[in-house]
């Protein structure tokens, strides 16, 4: 089993989402000690944003790209290869201003490539990354689950399904900025959710 963990927090060692994602991955590996783990921390090492130069590189035939264009496409290729090789994807996603971190959005833009991770057909788009299990660990300062303010979950469900990944399980840690008691309760709840996810 190959596990790919994507951390997207800007907080480095103080990240709640990374901490909980690490706990989940540790649980996965406890049951499968032979599992290989790849960790991509786009919070600490941000991937370049999608811009006009990147689009030009992507739409230039491979044999006609400049060395700079080839290098830029190769950066995205590396992320795609990691995702294709993964059996399990673990996303560590803090909520920033009601959405996902820009670092995670850049990763998503990098792995979204027509005829590689999805394709268009007469009946609409079809995801090409099927058969993967996805865990999303999301941390929030307030309480947003199942509320209109939660744009993360609909966005991630739509995006992952677009790639063909529909077996998605969310773990929530909410109220982390609402005082010590709320924080303690949030971590206890997240631990229970992780235990349940690993048991299912």
């Amino acid at each position: 089993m190959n596990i790919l963990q994507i951390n997207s927090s800007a907080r480095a060692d103080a990240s709640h989402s990374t901490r909980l994602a690490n706990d989940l991955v540790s649980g996965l590996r406890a049951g499968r000690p032979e599992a290989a783990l790849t960790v991509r921390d786009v919070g600490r090492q941000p991937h370049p944003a999608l811009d006009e130069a990147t689009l030009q590189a992507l739409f230039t035939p491979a044999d006609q790209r400049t060395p700079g264009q080839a290098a830029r496409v190769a950066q995205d290729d590396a992320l795609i290869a990691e995702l294709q090789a993964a059996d399990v994807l673990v996303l560590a996603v803090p909520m920033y201003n009601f959405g996902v971190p820009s670092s995670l959005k850049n990763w998503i833009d990098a792995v979204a490539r027509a005829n590689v991770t999805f394709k268009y057909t007469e009946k609409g788009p079809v995801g090409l990354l099927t058969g993967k299990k996805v865990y999303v660990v999301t941390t929030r300062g307030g309480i947003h689950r199942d509320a209109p303010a939660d744009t993360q979950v609909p966005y991630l469900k739509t995006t992952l399904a677009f790639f063909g990944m529909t077996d998605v399980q969310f773990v929530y840690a909410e109220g982390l900025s609402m005082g010590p008691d709320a924080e303690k309760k949030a971590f206890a709840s997240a631990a229970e959710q992780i235990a349940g996810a690993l048991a299912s």
Side-chain angles (χ1 to χ4, degrees), residues 18-50:
T18 300
R19 167 188 160 186
L20 292 172
N22 288 344
D23 291 345
L24 194 153
V25 168
S26 293
L28 288 171
R29 300 185 81 190
R32 300 284 294 272
E34 79 285 358
L37 172 64
T38 299
V39 178
R40 173 73 66 167
D41 195 325
V42 296
R44 293 191 184 198
Q45 296 178 311
H47 193 76
L50 183 65

Side-chain angles (χ1 to χ4, degrees), residues 115-139:
N115 300 316
V116 179
T117 55
F118 70 93
K119 66 179 179 180
Y120 290 111
T121 72
E122 293 179 354
K123 296 182 179 180
V126 175
L128 300 177
L129 300 175
T130 57
K132 302 180 188 297
K133 175 67 179 184
V134 182
Y135 298 95
V136 179
V137 178
T138 179
T139 53

Side-chain angles (χ1 to χ4, degrees), residues 41-197:
D41 195 325
V42 296
R44 293 191 184 198
Q45 296 178 311
H47 193 76
L50 183 65
D51 57 12
E52 184 176 6
T54 302
L55 287 174
Q56 289 177 344
L58 288 167
F59 285 103
T60 298
D63 61 352
Q64 298 177 29
R65 290 172 183 151
T66 66
Q69 287 178 324
R72 178 62 185 87
V73 173
Q75 288 182 287
D76 289 2
D77 287 345
L79 301 190
I80 291 171
E82 287 177 348
L83 184 55
Q84 288 174 323
D87 302 299
V88 177
L89 173 64
V90 178
L91 299 177
V93 190
M95 178 179 276
Y96 291 163
N97 301 314
F98 304 103
V100 302
S102 58
S103 59
L104 181 61
K105 180 61 166 61
N106 290 347
W107 179 83
I108 290 170
D109 288 340
V111 300
R113 188 177 301 174
N115 300 316
V116 179
T117 55
F118 70 93
K119 66 179 179 180
Y120 290 111
T121 72
E122 293 179 354
K123 296 182 179 180
V126 175
L128 300 177
L129 300 175
T130 57
K132 302 180 188 297
K133 175 67 179 184
V134 182
Y135 298 95
V136 179
V137 178
T138 179
T139 53
R140 292 94 179 271
I143 307 295
H144 303 285
R145 185 174 181 177
D146 299 325
D150 187 357
T151 65
Q152 281 187 327
V153 171
Y155 169 70
L156 290 171
K157 282 183 176 179
T158 298
T159 301
L160 292 166
F162 183 74
F163 295 142
M165 293 181 279
T166 56
D167 186 2
V168 183
Q169 197 157 355
F170 285 82
V171 172
Y172 300 83
E174 299 197 297
L176 293 170
S177 297
M178 298 173 67
D181 290 342
E183 180 178 298
K184 182 177 180 180
K185 182 178 179 180
F187 283 126
S189 174
E192 290 180 2
Q193 294 171 61
I194 289 172

